Amino acid sequence: RRQKKTASHAVTELENTQDCSQTGKPLFCPSHPTEELRLFCEQCDQPVCQDCVVDRHRWHRYDFTGNVIHRHGDALRELLKSTQQHTGALENVLSQIDDMGNAVCSRAEAVATEICLFASGYVKAIEEHRDRLLKQLENLKVQKENLLHLQKAQLRQLLLDMRTGVEFTERLLTSGSDLEILITKGVVASRLAKLNSIAYSTHPSVDDQIQFSPQERAGQCCGYEVFGAILNKVVDPARCTLHGEDLHSARQNQLTGFTLLCNDTTGERMGRGGEAVRVTITHKDKGGCAIKPTVCDNSDGTYHISYSPEEPGFYAVCIYVKGQHVQGSPFTLMVKNKFREHQGVFHCCTFCSSGGQKAARCACGGTMPGGYQGCGHGHKGHPGCPHWSCCGQVKESSECLAGPPSDTSQRSLVRTVVL
C-alpha cells in the first residue's frame, strides 16, 4: 500500500483468496481507479475501462470481456494442455535420469570392484612372476658357479700333478745319477707324456651372458599374460644349421628358399629371434650377377630365407650370423633353366588321340602298320603306357625334354593336339 502504483489495489490474505470468477468482486483500472475493467483491447491484448477506450485506446478494436473470454480461454486451455503434456514428459525424464544416476552409481561401484580384483590379481601375478624370475636367476647363477668350481677343481688337480711331475723330473735330472735317470726314465717320460696329453679348456667353461628382457613374452601367470624373461643363451654360428628340400638346387624365375635354425653354444635351440643374419648369393661365372634374398625372422630362433633367381648357373651361397659362417656355409647352389611345359598331349596312343589320322606323329617313335606315322597300342615303339606326344615322357607331371621341333613334326603335333 506504500507503493504508488499499488496503493489503490485490493489486497487479500492468501488463505482467504479464491478465484476471481467465484468471488465476483470487480477489478478496477490501474490508470483510472474509479473505473471497473469491463472491456478488452484486442490490439494491446489487455483489459481496459471506459476511460481507457476514450483516451489511450481510442482507435483500438475492443469488446466486452464476456464476449472474448471464451476465445482467449480456449487458446489458453490448449496451451495449458500442451504444457501439461510437457510437464508429464519432463517428470518422466527426470525419473529416468534419477534411475540412470542410481544405475550409474551401482555400475561404477561394480566396475570399481572388478578393477580392484583385476589389479590385485595382476599384482599377485607380477609378484609371482618376479619370484619365479629371481628363482630362475638364482638357479642359473648356482649352475654357472658349480661349473666354474668343477672346472677350477679339475684344473687345480691337473696343475698340482704337473708341478709334482716337473719337480720330480727336475730333481732327478739335477741330483740323480746316470743310472737312476736311466732306470726311471721310462716311468717319468710316460707320466709327463700322459700329463701333456690331457686336454683342458683355456677359457672358463661358462660365460656371464645373463640378460633380462622386459619386452619378452613370458606366457601366462595366474591367468594373466606377463612379460619379462631371463636370457642366458648365446647363439653359436658353428652350431646353426640349414634345412630345406631344395637347399642346393632351384629353378629360374621360381620362388624358393630354406630355413636357418639358430642354436646356442650347447646345441640347444635359441627359441627367440633378433640375431644379425646376413645372406649373400652370387653367381660364380658372372661377377655382376647376384640374387637379393629376403630374410624373415620368425621370432622363435628360425629364419626363413627366400629368393627368386633370374639367371641359371652355379651360385655361391654364404650365410652369416654375427659375421661368422654358419654350419654348412658357404655352399654351391645350382639354378636350373625355367621349367619347360609340355606342348603335346598326354595320351595312350596317337591313333586314339588323333581320331585315326595316318599323318599324326608322336615323339615316342612308335608306328602302326598300314602307313600310320604315329603309335598305337602294342605296336612297334609304343612305350606300353600313357605318354606325352611332344617328348615321349611317361610321367604326366614331368618337364618337357623335346627340343625345337621341325615344321613337319610341328604341324603333325599341332594337328594331334587340336584333335
Side-chain angles (χ1 to χ4, degrees), residues 280-342:
T280 61
I281 306 176
T282 56
H283 202 288
K284 286 190 173 183
D285 299 328
K286 300 179 181 180
C289 181
I291 303 174
K292 186 177 180 181
T294 301
V295 180
C296 179
D297 187 353
N298 298 324
S299 301
D300 59 355
T302 62
Y303 300 82
H304 184 70
I305 295 93
S306 58
Y307 59 94
S308 179
E310 297 181 357
E311 293 288 338
F314 292 93
Y315 290 79
V317 183
C318 300
I319 299 97
Y320 304 93
V321 174
K322 291 187 175 180
Q324 302 180 25
H325 282 283
V326 301
Q327 183 179 347
S329 174
F331 62 88
T332 301
L333 170 68
M334 182 181 67
V335 177
K336 301 178 183 179
N337 289 320
K338 186 177 180 181
F339 191 86
R340 299 178 61 182
E341 301 288 345
H342 289 280

Side-chain angles (χ1 to χ4, degrees), residues 75-266:
L76 192 60
R77 290 187 186 90
E78 291 295 330
L79 291 175
L80 175 62
K81 183 179 179 181
S82 177
T83 305
Q84 288 176 344
Q85 292 178 355
H86 286 293
T87 303
L90 289 174
E91 291 177 350
N92 187 20
V93 172
L94 289 173
S95 177
Q96 292 180 6
I97 291 176
D98 293 337
D99 295 340
M100 185 57 67
N102 296 330
V104 168
C105 293
S106 302
R107 186 56 188 163
E109 293 177 358
V111 173
T113 304
E114 292 179 4
I115 293 175
C116 293
L117 291 176
F118 172 80
S120 60
Y122 206 175
V123 171
K124 182 180 179 182
I126 294 176
E127 292 178 347
E128 185 173 335
H129 183 54
R130 175 202 61 193
D131 297 339
R132 186 188 303 172
L133 289 175
L134 292 177
K135 185 177 180 181
Q136 181 182 352
L137 178 61
E138 181 66 23
N139 294 337
L140 183 59
K141 185 191 76 169
V142 171
Q143 179 183 359
K144 288 180 176 290
E145 288 178 345
N146 290 339
L147 292 175
L148 291 174
H149 287 323
L150 178 60
Q151 184 184 15
K152 190 175 180 180
Q154 292 174 348
L155 293 178
R156 279 181 175 176
Q157 184 61 42
L158 180 60
L159 179 60
L160 179 61
D161 294 342
M162 286 188 174
R163 284 178 176 175
T164 303
V166 169
E167 291 176 359
F168 180 81
T169 305
E170 289 178 347
R171 191 182 307 113
L172 176 64
L173 294 175
T174 56
S175 303
S177 62
D178 297 341
L179 184 59
E180 291 175 342
I181 293 176
L182 294 175
I183 293 175
T184 58
K185 176 185 71 70
V187 178
V188 174
S190 176
R191 177 61 175 170
L192 293 178
K194 184 177 180 181
L195 291 174
N196 291 332
S197 64
I198 297 177
Y200 58 91
S201 176
T202 57
H203 302 284
S205 58
V206 297
D207 50 37
D208 60 346
Q209 293 293 333
I210 303 177
Q211 298 178 354
F212 175 69
S213 176
Q215 295 82 14
E216 196 81 14
R217 293 182 179 271
Q220 296 282 335
C221 184
C222 299
Y224 296 87
E225 185 177 5
V226 292
F227 294 82
I230 296 176
L231 308 178
N232 66 310
K233 293 183 177 182
V234 179
V235 65
D236 186 359
R239 294 182 179 270
C240 298
T241 56
L242 301 172
H243 303 273
E245 295 181 359
D246 298 330
L247 188 61
H248 298 279
S249 63
R251 283 282 182 181
Q252 181 184 6
N253 296 330
Q254 184 176 352
L255 184 64
T256 184
F258 53 90
T259 301
L260 169 65
L261 177 59
C262 289
N263 299 320
D264 61 2
T265 54
T266 62

Side-chain angles (χ1 to χ4, degrees), residues 21-33:
S21 61
Q22 295 178 356
T23 57
K25 294 182 179 180
L27 296 178
F28 294 92
C29 179
S31 301
H32 309 92

